[in-house]
């Protein structure tokens, strides 16, 4: 892992396929990095880490070089003392900008909470992304009352709920389910709850016309957490947005059906060069 220091903390990220001779001229400087560059930066969702994107930043991913970060309080990144909601979303947006500037990445890919972070960057900061991929996310991310209660009082039940059919996964094997559950527990109840409560406050439905970057809204066919309708809304309301649906997948289509997900993202990114 490499790190960048910003806003009094260090944010960790994984960089793959970068050019060791590349010169990045970011204001934020990597403290343990090599100066290599990236084209795409992947932003995970609630309770996850950069590992969610292993099939995307790896050799068979849709674009290289690529980077994937751990948001504050996740994985190897230092935490922040922020209240759930806009304050936390702002902190996560600063994480993304710091890594993007340190690596030179200008295409941002976000899943779920990560999609909210990416939209926050595009709408409310000076960073100007060249493209957005909004995967398993929405312009509004309300969280069910029962899930919010379980995240506060019965974390194991919340984890089990998220791994019921057609939530995080459509048809994952036991190994994938166990790995995903273990990741939520490793992130911990406090940070995961903060993530979901931050999602619950997010609503930019009336601001989508302010986004000027080309976008792709991509969703798993069976996603009941952020259903296809959320992504159809993004495709309709964003000024320049394509829609793609991944068969036989739910919320984490990038992990459950990586080949199909990568083809959809790759086609979109390639089209920007035409």
């Amino acid at each position: 892992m490499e790190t960048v220091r910003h806003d009094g903390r260090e944010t960790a990220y994984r960089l793959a396929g970068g050019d060791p001779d590349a010169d990045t001229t970011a204001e934020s400087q990597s403290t343990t990095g090599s100066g290599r560059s990236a084209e795409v930066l992947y932003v995970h969702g609630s309770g996850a880490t950069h590992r969610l994107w292993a099939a995307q930043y790896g050799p068979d991913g849709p674009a290289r070089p690529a980077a994937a970060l751990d948001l504050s309080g996740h994985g190897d990144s230092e935490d922040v003392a922020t209240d759930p909601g806009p304050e936390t979303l702002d902190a996560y947006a600063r994480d993304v900008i710091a890594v993007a500037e340190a690596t030179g990445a200008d295409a941002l890919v976000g899943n779920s909470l990560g999609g909210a972070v990416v939209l926050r960057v595009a709408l409310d900061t000076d960073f100007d992304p060249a493209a957005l991929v909004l995967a398993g996310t929405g312009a509004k991310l309300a969280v069910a009352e029962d899930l919010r209660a379980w995240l506060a009082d019965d974390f194991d039940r919340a984890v089990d709920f998220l791994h019921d059919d057609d939530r995080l996964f459509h048809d994952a094997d036991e190994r994938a389910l166990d790995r995903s559950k273990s990741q939520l527990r490793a992130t911990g109840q406090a940070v995961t709850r903060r993530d979901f409560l931050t999602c619950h406050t997010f609503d930019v439905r009336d601001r989508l016309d302010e986004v000027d970057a080309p976008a792709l809204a991509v969703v798993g066919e069976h996603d009941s957490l952020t259903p296809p309708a959320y992504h159809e809304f993004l495709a309709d309301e964003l000024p320049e947005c394509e829609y793609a649906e991944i068969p036989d997948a739910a919320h984490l289509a990038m992990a459950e059906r990586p080949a199909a997900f990568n083809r959809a993202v790759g086609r979109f990114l390639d089209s920007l060069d035409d």
Side-chain angles (χ1 to χ4, degrees), residues 83-164:
D83 292 329
E87 187 180 4
T88 292
L89 197 65
D90 285 343
Y92 290 165
R94 289 195 295 272
D95 295 340
V96 170
I97 292 169
V99 175
E101 290 181 339
T103 61
D106 61 1
L108 305 179
V109 182
N111 169 241
S112 200
L113 168 67
V117 175
V118 164
L119 283 169
R120 183 61 166 243
V121 170
L123 287 167
D124 294 318
T125 76
D126 292 333
F127 187 85
D128 187 20
L132 306 177
V133 176
L134 304 169
T137 190
K140 178 178 171 62
L141 293 173
V143 177
E145 182 178 359
D146 283 347
L147 179 55
R148 285 182 277 133
W150 296 330
L151 286 163
D153 301 325
D154 191 347
F155 189 53
D156 284 341
R157 187 171 183 181
V159 171
D160 288 342
F161 170 84
L162 290 167
H163 290 86
D164 281 346

Side-chain angles (χ1 to χ4, degrees), residues 21 106 114 132 134 176-177 185 215 225:
D21 297 322
D106 61 1
L132 306 177
L134 304 169
L177 292 173
R185 295 188 176 106
L225 295 176

Side-chain angles (χ1 to χ4, degrees), residues 26-237:
E27 293 180 7
S28 298
Q29 295 300 315
S30 176
T31 56
T32 64
S34 62
R36 292 181 294 166
S37 64
E39 295 179 359
V40 177
L41 175 59
Y42 294 97
V43 187
H44 63 76
S46 298
T49 70
H50 74 281
R51 293 183 180 88
L52 173 69
W53 303 104
Q56 282 70 54
Y57 65 73
D60 296 327
R64 284 170 68 83
L69 85 163
D70 291 342
L71 294 171
S72 290
H74 302 73
D76 292 330
S77 289
E78 293 181 8
D79 204 357
V80 287
T82 54
D83 292 329
E87 187 180 4
T88 292
L89 197 65
D90 285 343
Y92 290 165
R94 289 195 295 272
D95 295 340
V96 170
I97 292 169
V99 175
E101 290 181 339
T103 61
D106 61 1
L108 305 179
V109 182
N111 169 241
S112 200
L113 168 67
V117 175
V118 164
L119 283 169
R120 183 61 166 243
V121 170
L123 287 167
D124 294 318
T125 76
D126 292 333
F127 187 85
D128 187 20
L132 306 177
V133 176
L134 304 169
T137 190
K140 178 178 171 62
L141 293 173
V143 177
E145 182 178 359
D146 283 347
L147 179 55
R148 285 182 277 133
W150 296 330
L151 286 163
D153 301 325
D154 191 347
F155 189 53
D156 284 341
R157 187 171 183 181
V159 171
D160 288 342
F161 170 84
L162 290 167
H163 290 86
D164 281 346
D165 291 346
D166 292 341
R167 292 186 177 122
L168 293 180
F169 297 98
H170 171 59
D171 188 26
D173 59 30
E174 286 301 317
R175 182 180 177 186
L177 292 173
D178 289 345
R179 186 166 55 243
S180 178
K181 290 177 181 180
S182 294
Q183 179 57 68
L184 288 177
R185 295 188 176 106
T187 298
Q189 182 173 0
V191 172
T192 302
R193 179 171 180 262
R194 181 181 72 191
D195 288 350
F196 276 98
L197 293 182
T198 296
C199 285
H200 188 63
T201 68
F202 180 73
D203 185 353
V204 295
R205 288 174 296 176
D206 61 349
R207 298 188 60 197
L208 293 179
D209 61 351
E210 300 174 34
V211 176
D212 57 10
L216 171 69
V218 55
V219 60
E221 173 189 11
H222 301 284
D223 186 353
S224 64
L225 295 176
T226 54
Y230 284 29
H231 300 76
E232 292 168 354
F233 181 83
L234 289 171
D236 287 341
E237 298 298 325

